[in-house]
Amino acid sequence: MTREQVRIDFEKALAAVAIIEDAGDTLKMADGIHREYLELQNYCWQGESAQRFHNVGMQVGEEWIKRRDQLLAIAEATRNAARRWYEAEMRAIEIIERREYDTV
């Protein structure tokens, strides 16, 4: 594997992480909109059914936040693993290059 191949693979991994982080941002934005809707709904609709609907809506929002946190944890773990892999591959290339020059 060449330095260029390692760099390209590393950039691909970071691009995948960015997609995951974008999904997390979308969930956060959706949660904000959802909460605004629930507040408006709570203001306009009263009664037992309204309260049940509101409670279910709040649970959905909490699940979105949990999923977002999970996505961000996956993104961070992927970024760290990619960085470790990149550094190990580059170090291996350096060792190989040094050996090739030492034997000539």
Side-chain angles (χ1 to χ4, degrees):
M1 189 171 264
T2 66
R3 289 179 187 276
E4 185 65 14
Q5 288 170 322
V6 171
R7 187 188 58 75
I8 289 169
D9 286 349
F10 180 60
E11 288 175 1
K12 286 180 182 178
L14 293 182
V17 168
I19 291 169
I20 294 170
E21 289 173 332
D22 285 347
D25 291 342
T26 300
L27 284 174
K28 183 177 182 179
M29 183 179 62
D31 181 60
I33 293 168
H34 178 73
R35 287 185 187 274
E36 287 177 17
Y37 167 77
L38 287 177
E39 288 175 20
L40 179 63
Q41 174 268 327
N42 201 32
Y43 175 76
C44 296
W45 184 22
Q46 302 295 315
E48 185 178 332
S49 295
Q51 188 58 46
R52 286 184 185 166
F53 183 85
H54 182 78
N55 291 344
V56 169
M58 292 300 287
Q59 289 173 349
V60 168
E62 289 169 8
E63 284 298 315
W64 282 346
I65 295 302
K66 278 194 234 177
R67 295 293 181 252
R68 178 180 184 270
D69 291 345
Q70 289 171 342
L71 282 174
L72 293 179
I74 290 167
E76 185 65 24
T78 303
R79 180 183 295 108
N80 291 338
R83 171 68 60 194
R84 287 190 309 271
W85 172 83
Y86 174 82
E87 291 170 356
E89 286 294 321
M90 287 303 199
R91 180 73 179 127
I93 290 170
E94 287 174 14
I95 291 169
I96 290 169
E97 288 172 347
R98 197 173 323 126
R99 283 186 187 165
E100 288 175 2
Y101 290 122
D102 289 344
T103 60
V104 174

